[in-house]
Amino acid sequence: MRLHRLDITAFGPFGGARTVDFDALSAAGLFLLHGPTGAGKTSVLDAVCYALYGAVPGARQGNQGTNLRSDHAEPGTRTEVRLELTVAGRRLEIIRQPPWERAKLRGKGTTVDKAQTWLREYDATHGTWKDLSRSHQEVGNEVEQLLGMSREQFCQVVLLPQGDFARFLRADAEARGRLLGRLFDTRRFAEVEKHLAERRRTTEARVREGDAALLADAHRMQQEAGDAMELPELAPGAPGLAEAVLSAAAVARSTARERLTVADCRLAATESAQATAERTLTDVRELARLQRRFTEARERAGRLQERAGAHREAQTRMERARKAEAVAPTLELREAADAEHRRATVAHTRARGRLPDTWADAGTAGLAAAARRAAEELGGLESARRAEQRLGELVTERAELDRLERDDEDVLREAEHWLAGWDATRASLQARIESAQEAATRAEQLAVQREPTRRRLDAARMRDQLAGDTEEAQRRALASGNRALEARRHWLDLKEQRLSGIAAELAASLTDGQPCAVCGATEHPAPARKVAGHVGREAEERALAASRHAEEQHAEDERRLGVVREALAAATAEAGDTPTARLAEEADRLEQEYARARRDSSGLHAVREELRRAEQERERRLTARQQAAVRAASRLTRRETLDHEQATLEQELAEARDGADSVAARAAQLEQRVRLLTEAADAARAAEDAAQRLKDADARLADAAYRAGFDTPQEAAAALLDDAAHRELQHRLDDWQSEEAAVRAVLAESDTAAAAQRPPADPATAEETAIRAARRLREAASARDAAARCCAELDRLSARAADGVRRLAPLREEHERVARLAALTAGTSADNERRMRLESYVLAARLEQVAAAATVRLQRMSSGRYTLVHSADRSGRGRSGLGLHVVDAWTGRERDTATLSGGETFFASLALALGLADVVTDEAGGVRLDTLFIDEGFGSLDDQTLDEVLDVLDSLRERDRSVGIVSHVADLRRRIHAQLEVVKERTGSTLRQRGVR
């Protein structure tokens, strides 16, 4: 890396634009950066670091957006740093502008412009600068990849800071390890330690989990086996646990099988005894049943003998009832005739009681003749009824004429009253029509004004909405840009890792006897192997595809942002700068006036329709008044006709009523007389017929009773039984016969009679014996089932435990292997004799390289007296590996670096820094560092030592390097001709270059 040019504007103490020509300064190889304290010497180095990494070194970082700007700068001047450099054969220009708080272009107050970054590359073919990127992240990734160093490494290697290496020289092993870890980025080795420790904890936890499951199965087996199994007193993870559990399980299974065999034998014996007891119980129960059956039959036979007399009486009663059934129909006919005679006598007496005294003694023929005469008189009143009905109709018609006359008078009165106000009504309706027509005209005018206002309001609302959408689109575009940069960085990292391991990919295709595609050799004694975490082509291609997809998404978000911005511009052009609230108020005012005008004009049709109906009503009322006058004349003629007809009918009705109130009353009298006479005549004839039929029934009943064997009809009636009594008596006879047959059948059974001759049975004793046998069988079966379940469960649990032991074996081996590796890398293993952690071991190797590189320059600076050596001795109770000693050639003794004097400490630190720069450069991939800066410390050297140090620094030109010394020592201004002076002034610092062409 070689610096060419640095342009600083409004940065740090520099208020204006300042330029540093590093090409001119580097031509001398060694140049001096000096100036008074606080002038800004370190700010020049800060500007270089800020241009490359976007941040200043160490504790001076602060708020990068505001602390970098010069307090001496003009308000309109923006802070900017521009750096030209060559790195990896490419000439680049980096421009960075930190965030800037400036006055708003419109209105009052301030606004903050975001930070800006540009990366350009010089195209020597065309002689122009080509833009590469404007993304902070892309530029940072590109610079870090080209330099091969992070910002912290760059500050340690290129910008050798004040006092850091003196502290490094005198620091203890822990502090020295932290610094070396940052410089050489040994975090991956620490991560390996952490990974192995985590793997050890993970595998240990899984082994313990498996052992816990194994012990749980063992406890369940112990619960099943009881005292037949003893568990080992071992905790999860203890050695030999699996073998002890499997051995105890085998013993328990053997004991359980022996118990199962004993239980099977006992079960067979109890099953035989229980079967014998059941057969004996069945025989005893059958004997007891037959003995009870014989005893019950003898008792039933005794009860039948006791009821024999009652049975004979029932038979006699049933025989007389069967004889009386022959007389029953005649008896029923006589009872029906008697009932009919009584009803006819009662009806005849009642009908005679309703007749007037005139016909109380009349016979049947006289009553019938009087009924015929009354019916003839009733028929003559029909014409009188019609006349009376017509008279009622005449009265109704006269009332209707009076009602119509009153209605016509009301119509005439209402018509006169309505027509009197017609002129005022018509004038009012005409005025309302004119007002509605004016409102309609106003509504049309407002409608023309309303549409443009509504469009402007919609555009203003769209403008406000799009303003928020623009901010959201900007955020999305920025987020997708960051994701695209992250995807590209991930792809570049994978690509770099793949290139680092490309030898393994090439080695995979090597074949013995075939030439290598790289070196051409036909023998391949040690082909490269793929290491853990190797990145293949597929992973790189997936990362590249993800990077391209992220870039496409970023382009799509940028396109959407452009679309939203165009829509915002169109909406702003349509709506103008008028606030949305004001446009909304104007639109609401026009809407209210328009609605009011529409509301006023909406009644125009209704008013016109109302006027039309009013005119129709006027015509209707005029016509009604004329028609009422015509109907009045017609009613007068009709009333005279009705009066004449009414007089004629009244004279005719007076003759027909014969003193009654009306013709209907006279007809009702005659109808009542006809009905009573007819009913009395019919009742007299029915009574005579019923008396004759009763006499005939008595004669037939006496004859039937004599033929059936009864002395009188009354005896036959008493012998009859109703249906319920007959069924009950027959049921008693049938039950007696069935019971007698059943008793005879039981007493005739041979087995029942034989059982009665045997001693009485004892079922209770037999049942008790059978219950005891069944209980012993259940106990034996339960014991056998329990033994079988125990064997099955022990077999299942043993199989699961054995399977778990087999599955856990690889994990247990892995845990032992990982535990050994973790203890070895952590420095706690007995195999690690120096008790060094892996990271400390790597750092010790790096420190040994740094000490060797530093010794080359330290011997020249100390005239061959001092040599830096790496010490692996343990310091105190800590671990060994990071010790640093100095060998004094004058005494031949090795001593601690803390014993060096101030000047010796400085040049030893400088030698250490230069050696560290060489080692870090090689570690970073061999990037050549052609420009270095050394900050302070020369004031502690005497003249001779200073000359030797400057000779060493001047020798760096042999490697085509330029070294800038940052110091305010006056003697250096005499010794070093190429100088960059920082001048401190009240208006800000300035830069001057001296001793350069």
Side-chain angles (χ1 to χ4, degrees), residues 185 289 365 405 489 669 858 907:
D185 191 17
R289 184 185 69 80
E405 184 176 3
R489 184 193 64 75
Q669 292 176 357
L858 180 60
F907 64 68

Side-chain angles (χ1 to χ4, degrees), residues 318 722-735:
M318 179 61 72
D722 56 15
D723 293 341
H726 185 276
R727 286 193 300 273
E728 193 274 334
L729 182 60
Q730 185 64 45
H731 179 68
R732 285 164 53 194
L733 295 174
D734 294 340
D735 288 345

Side-chain angles (χ1 to χ4, degrees), residues 85 373 445 485 587 671 682 687 727 736 921 924:
L85 73 158
R373 288 193 298 272
Q445 296 173 354
L485 290 176
E671 289 175 355
D682 294 339
R727 286 193 300 273
W736 197 91
T921 299

Side-chain angles (χ1 to χ4, degrees), residues 593-643:
E593 293 183 0
Y594 176 73
R596 187 163 51 252
R598 286 290 305 273
R599 187 171 58 254
D600 294 341
S601 64
S602 62
L604 177 60
H605 177 73
V607 175
R608 286 177 176 172
E609 184 64 22
E610 187 176 354
L611 178 59
R612 185 185 63 79
R613 289 196 300 269
E615 290 176 347
Q616 291 177 351
E617 181 67 16
R618 176 175 174 274
E619 293 297 329
R620 186 184 66 79
R621 289 185 180 274
L622 290 175
T623 302
R625 185 174 62 180
Q626 182 178 2
Q627 291 176 352
V630 172
R631 288 195 298 273
S634 176
R635 280 194 301 274
L636 181 60
T637 302
R638 180 60 178 166
R639 186 177 285 109
E640 292 176 353
T641 302
L642 293 177
D643 291 343

Side-chain angles (χ1 to χ4, degrees), residues 224-225 252-265 779-795:
E224 290 291 337
R253 289 197 307 275
S254 176
T255 304
R257 289 192 179 92
E258 293 177 358
R259 291 177 177 177
L260 178 61
T261 302
V262 173
D264 286 336
C265 295
E779 292 173 354
S782 298
R784 194 271 176 195
D785 293 342
R789 284 195 302 272
C790 180
C791 287
E793 186 67 12
L794 288 176
D795 291 341

